[in-house]
Amino acid sequence: MSTAMINHRGPEFAALSARVTERLKYFFQTQSDVLIFTAAGTGALEVAVVNTISPGDKVLAVSIGVFGDRFANIAKRYGAKVTKLDFEWGKAADPDAIRRALAADPAIKAVLVTHNETSTGVTNDLAAISAIVREADKLLLVDAVSSLSAIDLPVDAWGCDVVATGSQKGWMVPPGLAMVSFSERAWQAYRACTTPRFYFDAGEAKRYQEKGQTPWTPALSLYFALDVALDLMMKEGRENIFARHARLAEKTRQGIEALGLTLFADRTHASNTVTAVKAPAGIPAKQISRAMREEEGVVIAAGQGRLENEIFRFGHLGYVNDSDIDEALAALARVCQRLGVPTLASRVN
Ligand SMILES: Cc1ncc(COP(=O)(O)O)c(C=O)c1O
């Protein structure tokens, strides 16, 4: 990332852009377009909405947590008529309920869904959901910010129309790049879409990508980082990366349970990139995350939204290995012992 800046309208950037885009398509498992915007993950979600949904369009927004709510809010803010389909936090969306909601309102044009809900540590059954959305012939917009590259998401095979992710998660790159795929159906929707947009115009991004550029100045340092991250990822192999995340997630879940703590997410849909843990009775989650940071030098997250003090979360995605998990679990054991978590005290040496 400390490489000297290059001309972003010159041949070096064109080569870098082509190299990065080609490999992103491999990880998105798509033959369609993958566009890169300089933005946070939320920008990727906004790209999905402003390029395919017009004011007044009916949208079904499936939410299982904070990020599902955010996706719905973006669509609402741009004038879509949003039908919200909420599920209990900690559980996955029920595909049959989505089928029923689509049948109940044939005017619905698009479905918004979070693949991996980072706020609760739950991964939706996107294979089943996408099959239902395809059958109903609706547009499918997917928030894959905390899943893509770490959890299998074959974009073309599942018929996902717009899939949005962010550089700071499984891609192992600092925050600031938003990567978004567009299917042919998504481009059809783009052509009909009347929502005003400028910076996030996907058509402009595609037009410039074809000549090896971006419409606006890109975050070059992040492209340099993504280029190297993709080298590492190609070397490890896509399926091996999925398998490593699955293995480390299972190790985390087992380690948490071995400490006598309770997992928040329904185990059948527990995420392979983030594990949410119920705070022990009488101990606010924030107290645990503070002690982990201040006493053990391990940064974990407390809950978000109404779960702020109910759960704490371990992120295990991207550049993560067995010893990271071992050390974090050992630190958690010591913190819980010091805080006098009763189920645990007897088990820690
Ligand atoms: C599932 C999901 N969607 C969206 C976002 C928003 O990304 P950002 O914070 O980069 O805007 C996040 C961030 O954690 C996320 O986990």
Side-chain angles (χ1 to χ4, degrees):
M1 290 185 71
S2 59
T3 303
M5 293 299 109
I6 55 175
N7 172 15
H8 63 275
R9 309 233 176 263
E12 287 163 296
F13 182 76
L16 171 62
S17 167
R19 216 164 45 238
V20 162
T21 305
E22 210 39 54
R23 289 176 295 170
L24 284 177
K25 285 186 183 185
Y26 170 75
F27 283 99
F28 274 70
Q29 302 181 61
T30 185
Q31 303 294 323
S32 298
D33 295 294
V34 176
L35 305 170
I36 308 176
F37 299 82
T38 292
T42 305
L45 302 183
E46 191 152 329
V47 165
V49 169
V50 301
N51 286 287
T52 60
I53 310 284
S54 300
D57 279 354
K58 283 194 164 178
V59 163
L60 180 69
V62 179
S63 179
I64 60 168
V66 168
F67 293 106
D69 287 357
R70 183 178 301 179
F71 211 179
N73 283 336
I74 295 171
K76 246 186 240 165
R77 194 71 65 87
Y78 279 100
K81 287 190 185 132
V82 175
T83 302
K84 197 76 186 312
L85 187 58
D86 290 298
F87 295 90
E88 189 187 335
W89 287 17
K91 298 230 156 46
D94 172 9
D96 280 335
I98 297 173
R99 189 197 306 276
R100 286 193 298 275
L102 289 176
D105 188 353
I108 288 171
K109 179 182 164 190
V111 177
L112 314 187
V113 68
T114 320
H115 183 206
N116 184 76
E117 180 51 75
T118 322
S119 68
T120 59
V122 172
T123 306
N124 272 321
D125 184 353
L126 191 57
I129 294 170
S130 62
I132 287 164
V133 176
R134 285 281 54 84
E135 198 184 294
D137 200 21
K138 311 295 179 189
L139 208 60
L140 178 59
L141 313 188
V142 180
D143 173 348
V145 169
S146 62
S147 57
L148 227 162
S149 83
I151 300 174
D152 193 19
L153 199 184
V155 168
D156 286 359
W158 289 354
C160 302
D161 294 310
V162 182
V163 179
T165 185
S167 54
Q168 77 272 29
K169 295 287 200 298
W171 308 94
M172 309 185 286
V173 171
L177 291 182
M179 295 88 92
V180 191
S181 68
F182 278 74
S183 72
E184 196 37 55
R185 264 186 311 270
W187 285 121
Q188 276 167 22
Y190 169 84
R191 288 188 282 275
C193 179
T194 58
T195 298
R197 58 197 170 237
F198 188 87
Y199 185 79
F200 282 146
D201 190 320
E204 284 296 281
K206 179 173 161 64
R207 198 161 70 79
Y208 274 78
Q209 189 185 63
E210 281 162 5
K211 48 181 181 171
Q213 296 182 23
T214 50
W216 336 116
T217 308
L220 280 174
S221 309
L222 300 177
Y223 274 76
F224 296 150
L226 183 57
D227 197 22
V228 174
L230 287 165
D231 285 345
L232 293 173
M233 291 167 71
M234 293 302 290
K235 212 162 144 192
E236 184 175 0
R238 189 172 66 201
E239 276 66 33
N240 291 338
I241 296 175
F242 300 151
R244 173 169 55 86
H245 283 84
R247 185 173 57 74
L248 293 178
E250 185 54 31
K251 178 179 179 135
T252 306
R253 291 189 286 266
Q254 285 181 10
I256 295 289
E257 287 180 330
L259 290 174
L261 297 172
T262 308
L263 298 169
F264 178 70
D266 174 359
R267 226 181 189 293
T268 56
H269 291 89
S271 167
N272 284 344
T273 60
V274 56
T275 294
V277 184
K278 284 187 187 169
I283 302 181
K286 276 195 162 168
Q287 197 176 341
I288 294 182
S289 58
R290 191 184 318 117
M292 286 286 277
R293 185 180 69 244
E294 291 176 359
E295 298 164 19
E296 298 286 345
V298 176
V299 177
I300 60 168
Q304 283 173 289
R306 62 183 130 99
L307 292 175
E308 190 178 10
N309 261 320
E310 310 300 313
I311 61 169
F312 55 91
R313 294 169 300 145
F314 281 85
H316 35 74
L317 77 169
Y319 200 75
V320 62
N321 59 30
D322 282 274
S323 71
D324 295 321
I325 306 297
D326 290 336
E327 287 173 31
L329 288 169
L332 180 64
R334 290 189 294 270
V335 162
C336 285
Q337 189 182 38
R338 285 197 290 274
L339 291 173
V341 176
T343 51
L344 179 83
S346 58
R347 299 177 193 228
V348 179
N349 296 323

